[in-house]
């Protein structure tokens, strides 16, 4: 069974190129990709995740409003009963060139499991996903091998 | 929805205005008669259209940055800095993304959060929320013309507020500010809404006030073949002219191959003139060249290389103005210092090339011909689809993939074409989708792509597209995965 | 002094060697037979000539910085950094100015002071003082070819030491490393001394070791008309070939006008080939393009603009290599970081242009013709002056102003010509001095200058020259005092 | 009577362009210029100054060895009995881009009256010369007007 990823670009953000590239890369890597596209609200992400029983939610934000748009997403996931879903975020997350360690910390505090800087190659996320999904299963008490595979 | 490429009557326009001005409380601040008086009293050097006309006449390329922050005072500081330190010829105000989606409530939060954080939490200036009072403050604090630059499918209120504030240019168009910027906004509506914006500009024009309009040339900024962007630019130019706009700047985003870029700019200007003439529009046409609009390298020295090559191409193509990138491009909205660095590098190159013309080589002439032929195929089909009506035809054309913009987020875009670079680095079609381009043009195109693939010992495939998307940010023009 | 353009016999060469190797104690370290063995064992990728030949074959432009500091270990760190971080294709070792004047005692103080100060007090690497041991350490610490770059009228000992150390290229020539670099050194002597250097390279070549020689193209780096620098480059190429040099790189310093620069590089290569063929020399010819060699702007962003435009021109001119400037150029010898920034900007532009050719427009063709005709006038007169002997003719030509380099410090240079930019920014002659250029060429030249003066509403006068010298550092190509 | 300036480029430095420009500018401004050119030693400067009774000595150094080349020049002037001569130095005085205030201090300590950074316009030096020469006369107890003039 292939892991299901919900992905999209949050907020009023229309940057679609990276989204299409990630979709292509994740699909090629064997994941089942549910791409809700650009200009997606927190609710859009959560609904898609619930509907598809997704294992991970990959949020992109390129345009600078990421901090405002992502605030509260983790809480909403908890409220909606999908508190175990892996939460990744990446892109140009804040306005301007800021200290990356600081940015990362702010997003970790918001409840994201992984935070990616601009220019992250899709392969990095694929590696992490493969590792984290397996781990997640372990934590959830499931089987440790072969259950989720990207390939 | 009653869409037609026909000048709106004053009644229809004023009818619609009432509705528009109610969209947010600051709409009340717009009084058209007062605004006309205000604009009439502005000094010449703050008029965008006049500044461009002068540059065109002097064969100079003007320099304009992008910039906008959440708060009025900070925005003024920023623009003054770009004017005084950066030496901008023309100033922008980049509008934030919530405004672009007409989410003025979120802008309000962004303004409050920005005050709290002590830095801009918005990626631009929320002009609607700041209203005419705020926008006029900005205009009055600077010495050169001001333009709204955004990406708003429905920019009616924004345009009302900014023009009334003495901002004498407005970027956008019903296609170029929808397909690359929106997901579900329909073209019927965005074209209608931009007819409104154009009609507004036309109204001022009728009162003797020159207002410049600039369709957004680069679209998704990512490997857009020149014939696509030129076709869209010409359509939006014609739609604007029909509503009474007299000062139009058509734009193009650098593809990176000098021959193709110079040819595309030539083709755009020539062919737009031809169409304007054919339809009997009397328009003052100028051009804008956008430095590389796709993904940038993170390294600042490399970014300077990209910026400077854009500046050189702008100069050699004889653009009336060039829109400048900064060395922070890959990472985030630039500080004013970084923005100024981009401008200084650009200015240096423009000045080095000021006295130089690139004489038309036979390669450039051939490429001009090619682009114009492709554009002709597209525009003929668009008009056909609309039974002669350009607005209607455009809506249908996007539905059928007769017009199609690569990598666009809109569900109203077919998304079937795929661009890739050829053996010389020019942007060609890996897939034409449904574009009604003639077979001989396609053969020529395919041959050039095949040459590249052979040179790189691989097949013509989607991997070329992926590699080309990343290429510039990885330090080259043509993505060649073999090179690593 | 017995100067003749004739290959030195081995006896004469070995006779002279004895004397040369005594000039400084490190001369003892050179053992020619051992050196030949050492060079034979070097890996291919450290051979300068081979690397250039490959690049020429692949139509690639290689990238080389300038760099040198006082101490061996620091110099190794520097070169490794430029190789690894900067991505240099070829490495330099810039030699300090005391060495260039053979003042090895002062070098010794400089080395000691540098150790004390903890920073380089010398503006280059004192290779003679460091001897073969020091220089081999440097070569062995890097992975790519190494070249000595200097400005030494009498570089005999320096060449002995560096070649014996496995540095497979040597920049310079009897004219180009005298007239711009010295005040009173006679041309008779400097040409003789460079015949020695060439003969040394030729000797290695006879032993089957490829050694590259590169006359210094840009001369004073300041508004040198292409016909002057091309004429000197061709003369030095011929003098080197006569001594048995087989791998020659001819150079040119950017003037700034694209048409002229591309034409000058074409003309140089074509015409050099013609002369080599005429005299029956079998030479592997490559070219080097120097990014702007005159005064730079202090602002780093502007400097990036100048650097990038140089990179673009190098690529479009199809140079085999480009010598890179840094954003610190106007202020001082660059840090390794600044040097790397210059290289990264350059690499980015080279890669953007890698797939692009500029097709020969008729303007370029006309300019090539013009430059070749002027060079022919000069070379004919030089040969005439020497009764057919190029070396003798060169000495006489400088005496009579038949050859003349603008702004040069040497008392053996007539200093009568004055360069200035024309209406398109190309470098022309404000005064031809005694240059034997034909009247029709002069008329063409004068007309272009007159056009510029008229455009700027002023007379053709010395003020043009002054303005043009400062122009690039003030942010433009053509100095126009009216523009302020 | 016009003020006499000795000017040249010190040490093993061959940069001649600025030297020619300064010569032209100072001459145009009415000074009597004695230009000893590039590659000039301290002794060359001092001999020229003594021979011509110069009022000021303008030393250029572009190539980076300025610090080493200029050390001791002031002492030699004193020894040679021209301790009152104005001493200016300018150009790219040290190796690399260094803190300018620091560089200036080092050269002041060496006994220079004025120290100019790269890119100094000739007019700056002309203004300073006009002022300083007048001042020098005053200090020496001479007439305060009309004696020395650049024009
Ligand atoms: C092309 C582009 C545009 C196009 C977009 C067209 C389209 N529909 O896609 C246009 C011109 C329309 C545009 C518009 C705007 N843009 Co824009 N744009 C860019 C640009 C130049 C390239 C983006 C791109 O396509 N890159 C190529 C793709 C493949 O890479 P990517 O998007 O970075 O995505 C990759 C990685 O980031 C990563 N990734 C992304 N998300 C995630 C998530 C996870 C979980 C993981 C693991 C990885 C990951 O993987 C992706 C694939 O490799 C960038 C700057 C840059 N990068 O050079 C600016 C940039 C993103 N834009 C920016 C801005 C601000 C805007 C505007 C608001 C206008 C403005 N103020 O200047 C508007 C946005 C309007 C809106 N409503 O969103 C800013 C954002 C600033 C900030 N964060 O501080 C940038 C950084 C430019 C800048 N320096 O100012 N833009
Ligand atoms: C052209 C040039 C050359 C030409 C010179 C030809 C010639 N014979 O003149 C060539 C190519 C031969 C050359 C060689 C070298 N150069 Co060179 N060169 C330059 C360059 C690019 C321009 C100099 C110039 O002509 N400027 C135009 C004139 C009009 O300006 P100017 O010289 O600065 O002089 C003005 C002012 O400084 C001022 N001024 C000067 N002196 C004084 C004195 C007083 C009292 C006053 C008031 C004002 C004043 O007034 C002048 C007129 O306006 C500069 C960098 C730059 N500035 O961009 C490097 C530069 C001076 N060179 C440099 C170096 C190191 C060298 C070399 C040693 C090679 C090397 N290691 O790279 C050799 C020197 C060999 C030698 N023995 O001297 C360095 C010096 C570094 C430092 N100080 O840290 C520089 C700064 C480049 C760099 N950043 O590395 N160079």
């Amino acid at each position: 069974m292939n892991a299901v990823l919900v992905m999209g670009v949050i907020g009023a953000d229309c940057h679609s190129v990276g989204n299409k590239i990630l979709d292509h890369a994740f699909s090629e890597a064997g994941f089942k990709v549910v791409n809700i596209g650009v200009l997606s609200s927190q609710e859009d992400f959560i609904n898609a995740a619930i509907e598809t029983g997704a294992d991970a939610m990959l949020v992109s934000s390129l345009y600078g409003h990421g901090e405002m748009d992502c605030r509260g997403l983790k809480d909403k996931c908890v409220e909606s009963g999908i508190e175990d879903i892996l939460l990744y975020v990446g892109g140009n997350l804040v306005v301007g060139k800021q200290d990356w360690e600081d940015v990362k910390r702010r997003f970790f505090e918001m409840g994201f499991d992984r935070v990616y800087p601009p220019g992250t190659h899709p392969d990095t996320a694929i590696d992490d996903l493969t590792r984290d999904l397996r781990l997640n299963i372990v934590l959830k008490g499931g089987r440790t091998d072969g259950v989720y595979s990207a390939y | 929805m009653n869409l037609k490429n026909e000048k709106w009557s004053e009644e229809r326009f004023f009818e619609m205005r009432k509705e528009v001005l109610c969209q947010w409380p600051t709409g009340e601040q717009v009084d058209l008669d007062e605004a006309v008086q205000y604009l009439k009293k502005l000094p010449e050097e703050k008029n965008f259209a006049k500044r461009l006309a002068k540059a065109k006449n002097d064969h100079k390329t003007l320099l304009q940055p992008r910039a906008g922050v959440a708060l009025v005072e900070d925005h003024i500081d920023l623009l003054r800095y770009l004017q005084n330190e950066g030496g901008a010829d023309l100033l922008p105000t980049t509008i934030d993304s919530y405004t672009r989606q007409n989410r003025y409530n979120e802008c309000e939060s962004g303004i409050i959060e920005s005050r709290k954080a002590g830095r801009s939490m918005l990626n631009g200036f929320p002009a609607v929320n700041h209203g005419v009072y705020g926008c006029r403050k900005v205009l009055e604090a600077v010495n050169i013309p001001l333009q709204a630059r955004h990406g708003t499918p429905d920019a009616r209120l924004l345009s009302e507020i900014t023009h009334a504030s003495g901002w004498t240019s407005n970027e956008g168009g019903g296609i170029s500010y929808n397909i690359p910027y929106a997901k579900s906004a329909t073209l019927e509506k965005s074209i209608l809404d931009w007819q409104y914006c154009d009609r507004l500009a036309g109204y001022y024009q009728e009162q003797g006030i020159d207002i410049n309009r600039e369709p957004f040339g680069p679209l998704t900024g990512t490997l857009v073949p020149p014939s696509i962007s030129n076709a869209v630019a010409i359509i939006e130019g014609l739609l604007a002219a029909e509503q009474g706009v007299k000062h139009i700047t058509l734009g193009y985003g650098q593809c990176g191959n000098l021959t193709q870029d110079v040819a595309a700019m030539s083709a755009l200007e020539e062919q737009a003139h031809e169409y304007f003439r054919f339809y009997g529009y009397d328009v003052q046409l100028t051009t804008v060249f956008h430095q590389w609009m796709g993904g940038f390298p993170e390294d600042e020295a490399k970014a300077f290389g990209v910026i400077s090559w854009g500046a050189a191409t702008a100069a050699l193509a004889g653009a009336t103005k060039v829109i400048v990138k900064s060395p922070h491009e890959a990472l985030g909205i630039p500080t004013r210092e970084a923005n100024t660095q981009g401008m200084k590098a650009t200015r240096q190159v423009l000045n080095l090339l000021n006295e130089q013309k690139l004489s038309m080589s036979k390669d450039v002439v051939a490429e001009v011909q090619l682009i114009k032929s492709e554009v002709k195929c597209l525009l003929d089909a668009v008009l056909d689809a609309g039974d002669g009506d350009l607005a209607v035809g455009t809506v249908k054309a996007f539905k059928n993939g007769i017009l199609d913009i690569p990598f666009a987020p809109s569900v109203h875009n077919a998304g079937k074409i795929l661009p890739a670079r050829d053996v010389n680095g020019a942007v060609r079609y890996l897939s034409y989708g449904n574009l009604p381009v003639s077979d001989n043009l396609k053969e020529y195109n395919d041959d050039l792509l095949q040459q590249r693939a052979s040179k790189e010992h691989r097949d013509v495939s989607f991997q070329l597209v992926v590699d080309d998307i990343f290429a510039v940010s990885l330090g080259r023009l043509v993505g060649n995965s073999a090179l690593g």
Side-chain angles (χ1 to χ4, degrees), chain A, chain B:
Chain A
M1 191 192 108
N2 285 2
V4 178
L5 315 178
V6 164
M7 60 171 293
V9 185
I10 201 165
D13 192 339
C14 72
H15 288 92
S16 47
V17 182
N19 174 264
K20 285 176 199 282
I21 293 286
L22 286 175
D23 187 334
H24 175 76
F26 294 149
S27 304
E28 287 267 294
F31 292 102
K32 187 165 176 316
V33 176
V34 180
N35 186 354
I36 62 173
V38 304
L39 285 155
S40 296
S41 65
Q42 296 190 354
E43 290 71 22
D44 294 339
F45 275 95
I46 287 173
N47 293 340
I50 294 174
E51 268 170 40
T52 61
D55 301 287
M57 189 183 284
L58 279 71
V59 180
S60 290
S61 176
L62 282 307
Y63 73 152
H65 294 183
E67 217 171 328
M68 290 190 292
D69 294 337
C70 291
R71 214 172 278 155
L73 177 62
K74 178 70 189 187
D75 291 344
K76 284 216 185 81
C77 289
V78 176
E79 285 162 26
S80 318
I82 51 168
E83 61 279 350
D84 286 336
I85 196 166
L86 266 182
L87 262 188
Y88 285 14
V89 68
N92 301 67
L93 293 173
V94 291
V95 172
K97 194 169 174 173
Q98 298 182 26
D99 176 54
W100 173 245
E101 288 308 316
D102 199 40
V103 171
K104 204 157 72 175
R105 191 188 40 72
R106 297 209 294 270
F107 279 83
F108 278 143
E109 281 171 8
M110 281 190 227
F112 286 92
D113 297 303
R114 291 199 184 257
V115 187
Y116 297 93
T120 301
H121 197 277
D123 287 348
T124 312
I126 292 171
D127 285 353
D128 290 345
L129 275 171
T130 314
R131 192 167 317 118
D132 292 357
L133 285 171
R134 212 166 289 240
L135 196 67
N136 229 12
I137 304 310
V138 179
L139 292 179
K140 284 200 239 169
R143 288 174 47 197
T144 60
D145 58 289
V147 181
Y148 285 84
S149 129
Y151 300 91
Chain B
M1 260 192 190
N2 194 13
L3 178 67
K4 241 181 155 178
N5 179 26
E6 200 178 72
K7 187 171 183 181
W8 286 24
S9 68
E10 258 192 44
E11 296 75 55
R12 180 176 177 194
F13 172 58
F14 280 115
E15 193 64 34
M16 181 62 83
R17 276 197 88 227
K18 282 186 224 150
E19 204 178 289
V20 167
L21 297 184
C22 293
Q23 290 172 346
W24 187 253
T26 50
E28 271 181 24
Q29 298 171 9
V30 185
D31 171 342
L32 205 45
D33 295 337
E34 185 270 348
V36 167
Q37 293 316 311
Y38 181 80
L39 277 151
K40 282 200 168 151
K41 275 181 281 175
L42 283 185
E44 278 232 331
E45 67 268 20
K46 284 201 188 174
N47 187 287
F48 218 95
K50 290 200 164 65
R51 186 70 192 84
L52 284 170
K54 182 173 171 347
K56 168 127 199 152
N57 196 52
D58 298 349
H59 300 284
K60 283 265 153 54
T61 301
L62 301 179
L63 191 151
Q64 183 178 16
R66 286 192 181 81
V69 288
L71 306 177
V72 174
E73 292 310 319
D74 294 348
H75 188 57
I76 288 177
D77 282 352
L78 174 58
L79 291 189
R80 276 199 180 138
Y81 189 90
L82 298 178
Q83 170 191 279
N84 300 336
E85 303 302 315
D89 295 309
L90 300 165
L91 286 172
T93 290
T94 302
I95 305 301
D96 75 287
S97 292
Y98 293 142
T99 302
R100 297 172 184 214
Q101 301 293 328
N102 312 105
R103 303 192 194 164
Y104 309 121
N105 279 317
E106 283 168 76
C107 295
E108 213 58 38
S109 323
I111 292 174
I112 292 164
E113 290 219 27
S114 301
R115 282 217 185 89
K116 262 195 245 156
R119 59 183 159 89
S120 183
M121 298 290 287
L122 292 179
N123 61 13
F125 181 81
V128 168
N129 292 56
H130 289 311
V132 175
Y133 304 143
C135 293
R136 284 194 182 172
K137 255 198 210 159
V138 175
L139 181 84
E140 288 163 14
V142 300
N143 309 325
I144 48 180
L146 203 53
Q147 176 188 44
R149 301 187 67 86
H150 36 126
T152 314
D154 174 6
R156 292 171 298 167
L157 182 56
L158 177 64
S159 307
E160 284 279 1
I161 287 177
T162 55
H163 285 322
S165 304
W167 302 16
T168 41
S169 177
N170 192 14
E171 195 196 42
I175 307 164
S176 64
Y177 267 13
N178 175 349
I179 306 296
Y181 284 99
K183 183 153 85 177
S184 48
T186 66
L187 268 171
E188 285 89 334
K189 172 128 171 48
S190 63
I191 294 179
L192 268 172
D193 290 345
W194 274 94
Q195 283 185 330
Y196 179 95
C197 299
D198 287 330
R199 186 66 184 82
L200 175 64
Y203 179 85
Y204 279 109
Q205 193 67 52
E206 287 163 8
Q207 316 308 311
I209 295 157
D210 291 344
I211 298 282
N212 172 263
R213 280 272 299 112
E214 177 185 337
F216 177 60
L219 304 172
T220 48
T222 306
L223 301 177
V224 181
S227 44
I228 297 280
S229 54
N230 281 8
V232 171
I234 291 171
I235 292 172
E236 293 193 343
L238 290 169
L239 295 175
E242 174 61 27
Q243 299 302 325
V245 175
K246 296 277 178 227
H247 300 275
I248 296 180
T249 306
L250 295 185
Y252 170 78
Q254 178 180 26
C255 281
N257 172 290
L258 181 64
T259 301
Q260 183 175 44
D261 286 337
V262 168
M265 290 286 287
S266 273
L268 177 59
E269 197 168 353
E270 284 176 24
Q271 207 164 15
H273 267 306
E274 287 160 23
Y275 276 95
F276 286 141
R277 214 174 300 126
F278 181 81
Y279 285 103
Y281 299 127
D282 175 26
V283 161
Q284 157 83 49
L285 177 64
T286 48
T287 58
V288 51
F289 182 87
H290 294 253
Q291 290 178 353
W292 177 247
M293 287 293 288
F296 250 66
E298 286 192 22
D299 180 87
E300 297 194 14
K302 291 184 184 174
F304 273 117
V306 177
I307 289 169
S308 303
W309 178 233
T313 308
L316 292 170
T320 323
K321 75 172 178 180
V322 57
I323 305 284
V324 175
K325 291 263 173 169
S326 90
H328 284 184
E329 177 63 15
L331 289 175
I333 292 189
T335 57
R336 58 194 197 170
E337 290 80 11
N339 218 333
T340 290
Q341 286 183 309
M343 294 164 74
K344 288 200 166 157
T346 301
R347 176 73 77 192
Q348 181 78 28
V349 174
L350 289 180
N351 283 353
L352 290 178
L353 289 162
N354 193 30
E355 284 79 11
Q356 303 185 42
K357 297 167 212 74
L358 197 66
S359 59
M360 280 278 175
S361 68
K362 67 176 195 325
D363 288 2
V364 174
V365 173
E367 188 73 26
V368 169
Q369 209 34 62
L370 173 67
I371 295 170
K372 286 173 76 171
S373 307
E374 285 183 351
V375 168
K376 180 97 176 31
C377 292
L378 300 182
L379 292 186
D380 284 352
V382 169
L383 283 165
D384 241 35
D387 283 328
D389 187 283
L390 192 61
V392 176
T394 299
V395 176
K396 294 220 174 120
F398 271 98
K399 219 160 259 160
N400 306 332
I402 290 173
L403 288 174
D404 194 351
I405 296 174
F407 315 116
S410 173
V411 298
H412 304 293
N413 186 61
K416 293 216 166 129
I417 69 167
L418 283 176
R421 293 195 186 273
D422 73 11
V423 66
N424 305 309
V427 175
R428 306 289 174 200
Y429 294 92
L430 183 87
S431 158
Y432 273 98
N434 287 336
L435 296 189
V437 166
S438 63
D439 286 346
N440 61 327
L441 295 176
K442 285 186 181 174
E443 268 167 39
Y444 178 75
N445 174 91
D446 294 351
D447 178 49
L448 286 166
L449 277 186
Q450 189 51 58
Q451 282 181 43
R452 168 181 169 191
S454 310
K455 193 176 151 200
E456 294 177 7
H457 309 291
R458 52 174 171 164
D459 294 335
V460 173
S461 78
F462 186 68
Q463 192 57 39
L464 295 187
V465 185
V466 176
D467 290 344
D468 286 351
I469 287 177
F470 286 110
V472 171
S473 64
L474 295 179
R476 58 175 62 92
L477 188 65
V478 180
N480 185 334
S481 64
L483 289 175

